[in-house]
Amino acid sequence: MPQDIALDIPFPKRLNPYVEVARARNEHWLVSTGLLSSPHNVERYRTWRIERLAAGFLPGVSVNELTFGLAVQSFFFFFDDLFDSGLGEDPAATYEICHEMAALARQEPGATDVTPSFPLARVWTELWQQSQLGMSAAWRARSVRHWEEYFLTYVSEAVNRRSGTVLSMDSYMKLRRLGIGSEVVVDVSERCGHFEAPPEIHQSMAVLEARAITAEVVTLTNDLHSLEKDLANGELNNAVLLLGLEHGCSRAEAIAHVQRMVSRRTARFLQLEAEADRLCDVFGLTPEQRENTRLFLDTNRACMRGNLDWSNDTGRYSEIGVSHVNRSPRIEDVVARTAE
């Protein structure tokens, strides 16, 4: 899929100036944890340019916070790729892994009833413990829910693959809103930015809709750019392919449909954003709370735009990326071991 398809995401392009420092730190960390253990896989990882994704999501944070945010982004990609293989077609095995991850997320800080049983779970547990430092109970409860939803969508996807289910577009978008990971990304952005929007703002219908829009725009952008990679993995639940089936239209017409879907969603996001001051008035928020609300909405902007800019730039979805997938679905087999 060409990586220059026009999408109406009318937010300014921003990139954290510490991107290269964070990239070097991240690579060193991945090697030290064993997630990258060969020169070939280091080179493959570099083509993804994930540091630019994190730097777009977190354009204004310190170098240490960007490094942490990049570590979380790295986890997403390693975890997602676990299921681009036979594992992703085995609901029972997928459930075993994802139920463990969800249980680790729910576990109270300091508890040891559930312990990580494979390398990637251990890495995530350390990141999750770090991410909670200094955050409120409300933030933790919200983030636990989002992580749990993220992990368990992989089970639903494995069931669909095993059964041969081709989803309707509506069902697909409902599933991907939970599984694309953007809910967790904006939670992590609050943590890295050292702010929290008030709980009442997070539970308002306007902000819940804004978060859903962010997830859908990221999903649609990702599906456009990852189409060839998905086809190489035998993954048919992609918005472009589903729209083609649902409407009986050509690939070009399906792409145009996705473009219109993105445009409608970003236009609605701008409407919701314009209502933020009135919402703050209704809740009687303090100046600090109002600023945190603005920062949270800006975080959603950065998530949508940062994902687009990275998608246009990464080698993960290019011919090089597809050739890597054709040779091996995963960058490292070691991270998938559930017992040692």
Side-chain angles (χ1 to χ4, degrees):
M1 180 62 61
Q3 291 183 279
D4 58 355
I5 296 173
L7 289 175
D8 184 16
I9 302 180
F11 313 128
K13 179 176 182 176
R14 292 180 291 171
L15 194 71
N16 192 296
Y18 300 114
V19 59
E20 286 304 315
V21 177
R23 181 200 61 75
R25 289 182 178 182
N26 178 252
E27 188 174 304
H28 180 268
W29 172 72
L30 287 169
V31 171
S32 70
T33 58
L35 297 187
L36 289 176
S37 60
S38 73
H40 169 76
N41 284 321
V42 169
E43 287 304 315
R44 179 173 175 177
Y45 178 79
R46 285 174 179 168
T47 67
W48 295 354
R49 307 191 77 181
I50 297 175
E51 71 278 358
R52 298 185 72 81
L53 181 62
F57 287 165
L58 300 165
V61 304
S62 70
V63 64
N64 288 339
E65 296 295 0
L66 177 60
T67 301
F68 177 76
L70 176 52
V72 176
Q73 285 299 318
S74 301
F75 166 81
F76 278 121
F77 285 86
F78 280 91
F79 191 77
D80 186 68
D81 283 0
L82 290 183
F83 305 95
D84 286 344
S85 63
L87 177 62
E89 298 177 1
D90 185 338
T94 296
Y95 178 80
E96 181 180 353
I97 289 174
C98 294
H99 182 263
E100 175 181 317
M101 298 302 294
L104 287 167
R106 290 192 300 268
Q107 186 164 247
E108 290 296 322
T112 57
D113 294 340
V114 184
T115 57
S117 66
F118 61 105
L120 196 54
R122 288 193 286 274
V123 169
W124 178 83
T125 299
E126 292 176 3
L127 293 173
W128 174 229
Q129 291 170 349
Q130 292 178 51
S131 70
Q132 297 174 69
L133 297 176
M135 305 306 289
S136 70
W139 180 92
R140 183 183 184 279
R142 193 163 52 246
S143 193
V144 166
R145 183 173 71 251
H146 294 150
W147 274 116
E148 184 175 18
E149 290 169 343
Y150 167 75
F151 290 130
L152 294 180
T153 56
Y154 284 94
V155 183
S156 299
E157 290 174 346
V159 169
N160 292 337
R161 291 190 192 101
R162 173 60 69 87
S163 64
T165 300
V166 177
L167 299 175
S168 69
M169 190 61 187
D170 183 58
S171 295
Y172 174 72
M173 292 302 289
K174 287 178 180 176
L175 183 65
R176 293 304 290 156
R177 277 200 298 269
L178 303 177
I180 194 65
S182 69
E183 293 281 22
V184 174
V185 167
V186 294
D187 291 339
V188 171
S189 295
E190 282 186 297
R191 187 270 187 200
C192 292
H194 300 288
F195 73 91
E196 291 183 41
E200 57 267 44
I201 286 291
H202 275 293
Q203 290 306 123
S204 68
M205 292 307 297
V207 168
L208 290 172
E209 184 180 354
R211 293 185 77 134
I213 286 170
T214 299
E216 293 191 351
V217 168
V218 170
T219 292
L220 294 168
T221 301
N222 182 263
D223 281 9
L224 275 175
H225 290 89
S226 69
L227 180 59
E228 268 71 28
K229 176 179 178 291
D230 287 345
L231 289 171
N233 279 322
E235 177 58 75
L236 300 182
N237 282 309
N238 174 294
V240 177
L241 300 176
L242 294 177
L243 285 167
L245 289 172
E246 201 163 278
H247 295 278
C249 62
S250 68
R251 184 73 52 82
E253 290 169 330
I255 290 171
H257 196 138
V258 170
Q259 289 173 303
R260 291 191 295 272
M261 291 175 72
V262 170
S263 183
R264 288 195 297 269
R265 282 158 176 75
T266 55
R268 176 58 178 160
F269 181 88
L270 290 172
Q271 290 177 339
L272 293 168
E273 193 175 40
E275 298 174 8
D277 285 341
R278 182 193 62 81
L279 196 59
C280 290
D281 289 341
V282 168
F283 289 129
L285 299 186
T286 66
E288 180 181 4
Q289 290 173 319
R290 288 170 180 268
E291 175 63 9
N292 288 347
T293 299
R294 184 196 67 77
L295 288 171
F296 182 75
L297 291 169
D298 189 58
T299 286
N300 284 265
R301 282 171 159 249
C303 186
M304 288 183 274
R305 180 59 197 245
N307 180 67
L308 173 64
D309 293 333
W310 172 78
S311 297
N312 287 331
D313 193 43
T314 181
R316 183 172 166 86
Y317 306 131
S318 68
E319 290 183 7
I320 293 174
V322 173
S323 69
H324 280 304
V325 168
N326 286 330
R327 286 194 294 271
S328 172
R330 296 192 293 247
I331 199 168
E332 282 281 351
D333 284 337
V334 67
V335 298
R337 295 177 187 160
T338 55
E340 292 184 317

